[in-house]
Amino acid sequence: MDNSKIGFIGLGNVGGKLAGSLLRHGLDLTVRDLNAELEAGFVRRGARRAASPAELARSADIVITCLPSPAASAAVLEAPDGILSALRPGQVWLEMSTTDAAEITRLAALVEARGGLAMDCPVSGGCHRAETGNISIFAGGSRAAFDRVLPVLQILGRRILHTGALGSASKLKVVTNYLCTVHLAALAEALTVCKVAGLDMNTAYEAIRISSGNSFVHETESQVILNGSRDISFTMDLVIKDVGLFDALAQSLDVPLELSPLILNIFKDGQRRYGPRELSPNIIRRLEEACGVKVLGEGFPALMVDDEPEAPGYEVLPHARAQRAGGGSPA
């Protein structure tokens, strides 16, 4: 077991589950969140509470942030009572938020100027996998920093990919979130067409699942759509933030995208109709209302469940390197 003292800021839908994994594995944990009830829940389970980010940083070897926006991360680091005001040489800052690559690079430079190490380590796979320690982690930063924090990452996640230079993980995370959102919008259309065509929705789900139309999003989010809960603990404002980061990255590189602006407009319309905190799979409501139907099946779960047994995490090698190392495809 890793003996590092961990400070964790941001106990929301994803962060709370990641911090829960650290606590479940017996790590020394101090937490901080603007929601006192969330903090109290962790204190009852054995964590300590810090009154400020600076107080948390003074008690930790590794400081982790998992926050809803780049602005929130900047505030936690740069405020008068922020992390930077108490950072010691040799400490590590792990940014596990979905954020802007330029912003993580800027903040990392401030950490490194004080003798600390910084890595961007966003996660992918959904809250249900964050809760069981089976989520995937992208880790951007120096190899030395990666090797130092790998034991902690192996507790937090199942598959850990060192993506290279600082900022690379954040770029890859917004790419994968963009793809997830495209799949969700396409599935909303496909499932609605199946419903209007009079197809049995349970049969339609299985047909997609066993075919070339299948995807991770279908096997997870389609289930809560067909249940009617539409609950994946992810909201339309967060979709717009994440796809907006992807779109901004593409624009900065002069890549003439066509789908990305369309997806952004679809979810901005959903936000106008249903509110920023509406669950993202309920983007299908736009089509349900237009067609006068309710897209539901029978026997689907209200929440996504991770049925993969928890196991220690491991480093995933990029494809060609994995073949050279072991003669086969990466795990």
Side-chain angles (χ1 to χ4, degrees):
M1 183 174 68
D2 191 271
N3 294 319
S4 298
K5 294 181 178 180
I6 310 296
F8 203 109
I9 301 178
L11 303 175
N13 288 329
V14 175
K17 292 174 175 61
L18 295 171
S21 286
L22 297 173
L23 202 57
R24 188 171 67 253
H25 284 268
L27 270 70
D28 186 306
L29 183 67
T30 302
V31 297
R32 170 72 182 163
D33 195 277
L34 294 178
N35 186 325
E37 291 184 9
L38 294 177
E39 290 181 333
F42 274 84
V43 170
R44 286 193 294 270
R45 293 157 60 192
R48 291 183 298 277
R49 174 191 174 274
S52 68
E55 181 180 308
L56 179 141
R58 282 191 287 270
S59 70
D61 303 310
I62 298 173
V63 177
I64 300 173
T65 50
C66 189
L67 297 160
S69 69
S73 293
V76 162
L77 264 79
E78 297 182 286
D81 63 348
I83 293 168
L84 290 173
S85 69
L87 196 71
R88 304 184 306 276
Q91 279 183 293
V92 182
W93 170 49
L94 295 186
E95 171 63 290
M96 302 194 79
S97 318
T98 298
T99 190
D100 176 69
E103 183 67 351
I104 181 72
T105 302
R106 182 185 74 82
L107 293 173
L110 299 178
V111 169
E112 291 167 355
R114 288 163 173 78
L117 296 172
M119 294 199 72
D120 57 328
C121 293
V123 299
S124 183
C127 290
H128 61 306
R129 289 191 173 179
E131 186 169 25
T132 58
N134 285 328
I135 204 160
S136 296
I137 302 175
F138 303 152
S142 71
R143 184 71 210 192
F146 176 78
D147 288 340
R148 176 166 172 190
V149 301
L150 183 57
V152 173
L153 297 181
Q154 288 172 318
I155 292 172
L156 291 169
R158 184 68 171 273
R159 300 164 185 87
I160 301 103
L161 175 65
H162 183 222
T163 61
L166 193 77
S168 58
S170 290
K171 291 175 183 176
L172 286 168
K173 176 59 192 301
V174 299
V175 168
T176 60
N177 274 23
Y178 164 69
L179 289 169
C180 176
T181 307
V182 171
H183 296 171
L184 175 58
L187 282 163
E189 293 187 350
L191 293 173
T192 303
V193 169
C194 288
K195 179 66 177 182
V196 174
L199 298 173
D200 176 81
M201 296 310 299
N202 286 54
T203 303
Y205 172 84
E206 290 300 332
I208 296 169
R209 188 184 68 82
I210 66 172
S211 74
S212 58
N214 193 30
S215 67
F216 173 83
V217 179
H218 176 62
E219 291 194 356
T220 54
E221 297 190 39
S222 287
Q223 294 201 60
V224 296
I225 288 174
L226 293 169
N227 169 273
S229 76
R230 282 82 197 269
D231 188 357
I232 62 163
S233 301
F234 204 73
T235 51
M236 292 195 185
D237 58 338
L238 295 177
V239 170
I240 291 168
K241 184 261 291 187
D242 289 356
V243 179
L245 288 170
F246 171 79
D247 198 63
L249 175 63
Q251 288 185 39
S252 73
L253 299 170
D254 294 323
V255 180
L257 301 184
E258 296 175 306
L259 284 178
S260 176
L262 179 60
I263 294 295
L264 264 177
N265 286 336
I266 288 171
F267 276 87
K268 286 178 179 178
D269 181 63
Q271 180 175 255
R272 283 191 295 269
R273 294 184 189 211
Y274 313 122
R277 304 304 293 168
E278 179 63 81
L279 295 164
S280 57
N282 246 343
I283 199 67
I284 198 171
R285 282 181 61 188
R286 296 166 69 252
L287 297 170
E288 289 178 319
E289 291 169 359
C291 298
V293 298
K294 192 70 174 175
V295 180
L296 297 172
E298 296 179 0
F300 290 96
L303 296 171
M304 293 188 294
V305 177
D306 181 22
D307 56 6
E308 183 178 19
E310 184 174 7
Y314 59 90
E315 182 180 356
V316 175
L317 297 178
H319 182 70
R321 292 177 205 160
Q323 288 185 319
R324 288 197 297 270
S329 299

